[in-house]
Amino acid sequence: MGSFTRLTGIALLALLARPVVAQELAEEQVNLVSSRLAESARRSWEIGTRAQAILEHNATRYSVFANNDLPPPSNIPGDQQGPLEPLWNIARGVLSGGAGGSTAQPLVSDSAVSDPASIGVAVLLANYTNLDKKDDQYEHAARNQYDYLMSNAVPKNGEGAISHKTEQIQLWSDAVYMVPPFLAYYGVITNDRTPLDQAYEQIKQYRAQLYDSNAGAWKHIVGGNSGTDDSFWATGNAWAAAGMLRVYATIDKSKFSGKMKSQKKDLKNWVQEIHKGVYERYFDGENLLRNHLNDPNTFYDAASSALLASTVYRASTVMGQHKYVPYAERTRLTLFTPNTGPWTNTNWTRFGDYQYFTTDGWLRPVVDPMNTGNQGQNSPEAQAFVVLLHSAWRDWRWAGEKGKNAAGRTAASYSTVLASAFSIAVGSLLL
Ligand SMILES: *[C@@H]1O[C@H](CO)[C@@H](O)[C@H](O)[C@H]1NC(C)=O
Ligand SMILES: *[C@@H]1O[C@H](CO)[C@@H](O)[C@H](O)[C@H]1NC(C)=O
Ligand SMILES: *[C@@H]1O[C@H](CO)[C@@H](O)[C@H](O)[C@H]1NC(C)=O
């Protein structure tokens, strides 16, 4: 558990009163959330996001957030073999679907251009580590996906931004998580700087169309003649920040890092710009984001709140940006605290009494991923966001919890959480 020197006196009191049980999800609870994710992720981007959750939570040596240079070892260390197995099953599924042929095509068929590329990192790793000794089939699958994105079959706007749709040129904020991280990883695996530049360029062009400086946030969908969505969809802002962080980390750990300083600097600014806009303008005492950030008639959405908070911890550990950590802490404590108060969870294998989780580990309330104006029920991507939040927080804690006490303006609500911990701690001492 955490370092004692960093615990506040109040937390220490609580620990004295209730030994062992800390204010965080237990590993077993995160695995319960992951079970719901595994059994529900069926659509391309859900599978891709699950792949990333597997890397960040379990197969950490193969995550771009690992503290090692890229590419990772092609000989898989023993302790990573078990954790990688679910990732390999994803790659195997793609191959058995026919992706290893010799024509440019997406990894899986989909009505959206961008989403299949989200599975690309799993396939690149399968190729790189020679999974199942499939000759060059994984290589073909990865190259087919890359060639498809670059081909004329995929429309692009005048500046080269890849459309999310084939029938019209349309940019979706979600795509920043699906395409650029694949392109960047393609560059490190094939030892070629061009795809890394393309990853950066895609983000730059997406931001040029979607970021609204007056609102301080990204719009959801622009361009084309049907299906546009000018709303400041909270999840879209979180997808964009999370995609940029993966690309940043990929560049940063690659041998091209020294030559891509200005690109890294831009990515840092663009992540911080989202954190500043969202947390300084659209975050209130509820500690969660509205589904449409600036629309008080929309519900508080635990899904986007979790993903955006995860990007704050990542920005702290990989970009050295700590300013918004207290906001992320507020979200994390709100979502992960039992109804009975901090440090009161006694059964780590389930969610006995939580406002934001069902007993069997579904996050609630969440946006419907297929109908983003509405609240939904069981959301696969929301399950992945919980895993990403827990993993990003864990890595931030190991890195020394930088920024934990930053930003005085958030102290009030943060101390509310601590105050209830205090009363429980005192209550227990009196018993
Ligand atoms: C991580 O590994 C544990 C233990 O095998 C497993 O229960 C869990 O589902 C895995 N997490 C993810 C995100 O796949
Ligand atoms: C596949 O992996 C090999 C290394 O085993 C690498 O040389 C090659 O560039 C990779 N190709 C793709 C498309 O990932
Ligand atoms: C914890 O919850 C699980 C699942 O509901 C149950 O089977 C188990 O007995 C509980 N353990 C304790 C110590 O209460």
Side-chain angles (χ1 to χ4, degrees):
M1 299 286 106
S3 151
F4 275 85
T5 55
R6 290 194 193 91
L7 293 170
T8 65
I10 290 165
L12 196 59
L13 250 184
L15 273 183
L16 287 173
R18 305 215 173 218
V20 185
V21 188
Q23 183 44 42
E24 63 201 56
L25 293 188
E27 208 56 21
E28 293 87 337
Q29 288 175 307
V30 182
N31 291 344
L32 196 63
V33 170
S34 302
S35 300
R36 300 291 87 79
L37 167 61
E39 71 200 24
S40 65
R42 291 293 171 271
R43 293 175 287 243
S44 56
W45 80 91
E46 295 165 350
I47 295 169
T49 308
R50 177 174 170 236
Q52 185 62 20
I54 292 166
L55 292 169
E56 291 192 35
H57 185 222
N58 286 341
T60 51
R61 179 65 186 83
Y62 285 82
S63 153
V64 294
F65 297 118
N67 254 336
N68 304 90
D69 288 347
L70 290 172
S74 55
N75 286 324
I76 301 167
D79 68 342
Q80 296 292 289
Q81 284 170 4
L84 279 167
E85 205 46 41
L87 191 85
W88 298 151
N89 285 334
I90 290 174
R92 287 175 184 127
V94 165
L95 213 56
S96 63
S102 54
T103 43
Q105 59 176 22
L107 289 166
V108 294
S109 75
D110 200 293
S111 63
V113 168
S114 328
D115 295 338
S118 67
I119 311 175
V121 169
V123 175
L124 285 165
L125 281 170
N127 164 54
Y128 190 68
T129 61
N130 200 12
L131 175 67
D132 301 337
K133 308 209 169 22
K134 286 278 187 186
D135 297 323
D136 43 13
Q137 289 189 52
Y138 285 112
E139 172 158 37
H140 281 174
R143 193 185 300 138
N144 290 343
Q145 171 67 75
Y146 177 79
D147 288 347
Y148 171 71
L149 290 171
M150 299 301 151
S151 75
N152 290 334
V154 172
K156 323 232 171 11
N157 76 3
E159 285 71 44
I162 293 170
S163 174
H164 187 73
K165 292 277 175 189
T166 49
E167 68 281 7
Q168 55 182 358
I169 298 176
Q170 190 166 75
L171 307 189
W172 295 38
S173 53
D174 331 25
V176 175
Y177 196 81
M178 312 305 158
V179 172
F182 164 66
L183 295 177
Y185 210 69
Y186 196 91
V188 299
I189 293 295
T190 60
N191 192 22
D192 178 4
R193 179 174 158 176
T194 304
L196 288 150
D197 283 325
Q198 289 167 327
Y200 164 81
E201 196 59 33
Q202 286 299 319
I203 292 170
K204 181 177 177 179
Q205 297 310 334
Y206 264 73
R207 177 178 169 275
Q209 300 300 320
L210 290 165
Y211 178 65
D212 180 331
S213 56
N214 292 322
W218 286 48
K219 292 177 187 156
H220 185 199
I221 302 173
V222 300
N225 35 39
S226 67
T228 54
D229 177 6
D230 267 354
S231 75
F232 300 104
W233 185 41
T235 304
N237 281 268
W239 282 130
M244 288 193 271
L245 270 149
R246 288 171 64 194
V247 169
Y248 177 93
T250 309
I251 295 173
D252 192 47
K253 307 283 167 42
S254 79
K255 70 176 197 194
F256 307 105
S257 178
K259 296 226 152 59
M260 297 185 72
K261 289 204 174 96
S262 75
Q263 289 90 336
K264 283 167 54 186
K265 187 162 167 257
D266 283 344
L267 290 168
K268 266 185 171 175
N269 288 337
W270 298 341
V271 167
Q272 180 133 63
E273 157 186 281
I274 290 177
H275 290 163
K276 179 178 167 63
V278 174
Y279 289 117
E280 292 187 8
R281 293 180 174 203
Y282 306 119
F283 199 69
D284 59 28
E286 201 73 18
N287 300 332
L288 300 178
L289 309 177
R290 298 268 187 192
N291 184 46
H292 294 168
L293 291 168
N294 60 343
D295 182 352
N297 295 318
T298 62
F299 59 95
Y300 287 107
D301 172 44
S304 53
S305 302
L307 182 60
L308 195 70
S310 81
T311 68
V312 171
Y313 295 112
R314 291 295 180 205
S316 171
T317 48
V318 312
M319 293 176 162
Q321 291 177 353
H322 315 301
K323 183 169 177 189
Y324 296 98
V325 163
Y327 294 86
E329 281 285 87
R330 282 166 57 183
T331 294
R332 187 183 66 80
L333 289 168
T334 297
L335 294 178
F336 293 175
T337 300
N339 285 330
T340 42
W343 297 284
T344 58
N345 176 29
T346 50
N347 189 338
W348 291 8
T349 65
R350 59 203 276 270
F351 290 84
D353 187 10
Y354 282 73
Q355 182 174 354
Y356 296 101
F357 289 92
T358 64
T359 315
D360 53 351
W362 290 102
L363 186 68
R364 292 282 160 76
V366 292
V367 59
D368 178 352
M370 298 305 286
N371 197 344
T372 58
N374 295 348
Q375 199 173 314
Q377 289 281 317
N378 301 343
S379 162
E381 70 191 36
Q383 299 304 106
F385 299 164
V386 173
V387 179
L388 296 175
L389 171 56
H390 173 82
S391 306
W393 165 78
R394 174 203 61 199
D395 292 355
W396 167 80
R397 199 176 58 156
W398 286 347
E401 302 188 326
K402 294 200 183 70
K404 186 168 187 172
N405 301 314
R409 77 169 71 201
T410 67
S413 315
Y414 191 62
S415 64
T416 311
V417 176
L418 288 177
S420 59
F422 181 73
S423 53
I424 287 161
V426 170
S428 312
L429 283 175
L430 293 176
L431 286 177

